[in-house]
């Protein structure tokens, strides 16, 4: 996780805890990058970061470029079976709202929690 100067050490620890809880909840891996995206295409940059992860098929990457006011969420193939584009959009809206109020940590925590909640496999009542 790269967090630049926007997050204090205490914020990073709190974000790490949020990520651990999210991963335990849905069994997918979460990564966060906060900083400048290289090049003009922020989606392509986020996708490249996601592809470098240890298990990209089972991973969610949240990339935030504060200077450009851009949030990109990249999900792996296995994650997309449980997490729809609409659910990702809701999490991005929630993060954007917190970021607009100057709450970077709260926005990341809220967005990651929402993504994990929606990505959690549903319990079935039949065998």
């Amino acid at each position: 996780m790269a967090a630049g100067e926007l997050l204090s050490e205490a914020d990073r620890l709190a974000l790490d805890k949020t990520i651990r809880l999210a991963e335990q909840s849905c069994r997918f891996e979460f990564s966060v990058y906060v900083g400048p995206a290289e090049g003009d295409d922020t989606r392509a940059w986020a996708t490249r970061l996601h592809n470098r992860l240890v298990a990209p098929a089972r991973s969610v990457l949240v990339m935030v470029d504060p200077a450009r006011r851009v949030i990109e969420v990249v999900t792996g193939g296995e994650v997309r079976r449980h997490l729809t584009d609409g659910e990702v959009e809701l999490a991005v809206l929630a993060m954007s709202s917190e970021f607009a109020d100057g709450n970077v940590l709260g926005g990341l925590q809220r967005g990651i929690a929402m993504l994990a909640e929606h990505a959690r496999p549903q319990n079935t009542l039949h065998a």
Side-chain angles (χ1 to χ4, degrees), residues 62-114:
V62 177
M63 191 279 297
V64 179
D65 184 334
R68 294 186 193 181
R69 297 179 176 257
V70 172
I71 303 167
E72 298 284 358
V73 176
V74 182
T75 56
E78 290 183 43
V79 177
R80 280 192 295 275
R81 290 188 218 157
H82 301 279
L83 188 62
T84 67
D85 288 346
E87 292 164 336
V88 171
E89 288 175 22
L90 287 174
V92 169
L93 285 172
M95 285 187 276
S96 295
S97 175
E98 294 287 338
F99 295 165
D101 289 338
N103 188 0
V104 176
L105 175 62
L108 290 169
Q109 289 177 313
R110 187 172 173 200
I112 290 166
M114 289 176 72

Side-chain angles (χ1 to χ4, degrees), residues 38-81:
E38 290 183 9
D40 292 331
D41 188 348
T42 58
R43 182 68 182 180
W45 170 247
T47 300
R48 282 195 301 275
L49 290 176
H50 181 265
N51 289 339
R52 293 180 195 154
L53 297 174
V54 174
R58 298 194 45 76
S59 297
V60 177
L61 172 80
V62 177
M63 191 279 297
V64 179
D65 184 334
R68 294 186 193 181
R69 297 179 176 257
V70 172
I71 303 167
E72 298 284 358
V73 176
V74 182
T75 56
E78 290 183 43
V79 177
R80 280 192 295 275
R81 290 188 218 157

